[in-house]
Amino acid sequence: MNSTPRITLVVDGDPLVCYPEGCTSLLRALRDGGQLAVKGACEQGECGSCTVVLDGLLVCSCLVAVETCEGSAVETARGLLRPDLADALARHGAVQCGFCTPGFVVTAEHALAARDPLERDDVVAALEGNLCRCTGYNGIVAAVLEVDAARRTRRAER
Ligand code: FES
Ligand code: FES
């Protein structure tokens, strides 16, 4: 008898079936399933590079056991990044390395979904779980604030 569990996820709208052996994190399951937009670095919940939205909640996927995720919806940078944020990050020089950027993108798009307008402190607080010790945060914060204002203006004009 095969005791390997079968877990079905919906990742950025597409089904992903995994057969985790032992204690497998959501991060490992996603990457083993070809979802390479999700990055792993510390794998201890410290750096935020593995951030995804899991059933609407921002999580470090390295800290979530995939066996607890049957039927869950997972959103990664691949599905979440909208062109206006990509453009703003580029213009503000805020596209950083391949380890941290996907996590920053997920956190930023999650923050941008907030009902109320974002203040600088809101963005800084939202990004505090995403670490970079190489460059800086000012460009990212400026890009998110710019996109938040522009999206709200566009929604108000509709
Ligand atoms: S890899 Fe998950 S928090 Fe660092
Ligand atoms: S960790 Fe990505 S640029 Fe510093």
Side-chain angles (χ1 to χ4, degrees):
M1 184 177 123
N2 184 356
S3 60
T4 303
R6 179 184 198 274
I7 305 294
T8 302
L9 308 170
V10 179
V11 183
D12 296 322
D14 298 322
L16 175 67
V17 179
C18 34
Y19 299 90
E21 293 182 359
C23 184
T24 301
S25 68
L26 176 59
L27 167 64
R28 279 294 127 212
L30 289 168
R31 289 191 57 85
D32 290 350
Q35 300 296 320
L36 303 182
V38 187
K39 306 299 179 185
C42 72
E43 302 203 26
Q44 296 181 11
E46 299 289 345
C47 72
S49 64
C50 66
T51 304
V52 298
V53 177
L54 175 65
D55 294 330
L57 297 175
L58 208 58
V59 299
C60 291
S61 60
C62 67
L63 296 183
V64 178
V66 72
E67 287 190 40
T68 67
C69 300
E70 170 58 28
S72 288
V74 180
E75 295 167 277
T76 77
R78 180 174 66 90
L80 284 170
L81 179 59
R82 288 166 54 178
D84 57 350
L85 180 59
D87 177 66
L89 289 170
R91 280 188 291 98
H92 286 276
V95 178
Q96 306 190 154
C97 80
F99 283 100
C100 66
T101 297
F104 276 117
V105 163
V106 172
T107 300
E109 287 288 7
H110 189 259
L112 285 164
R115 193 160 51 93
D116 297 324
L118 294 173
E119 304 288 341
R120 181 180 172 81
D121 286 351
D122 300 323
V123 181
V124 170
L127 294 173
E128 69 184 8
N130 293 84
L131 300 187
C132 169
R133 289 290 176 262
C134 321
T135 56
Y137 291 79
N138 285 341
I140 302 171
V141 172
V144 173
L145 287 171
E146 181 185 294
V147 170
D148 186 56
R151 286 185 188 177
R152 286 179 197 283
T153 299
R154 285 201 297 275
R155 279 201 293 270
E157 289 171 349
R158 280 187 205 136

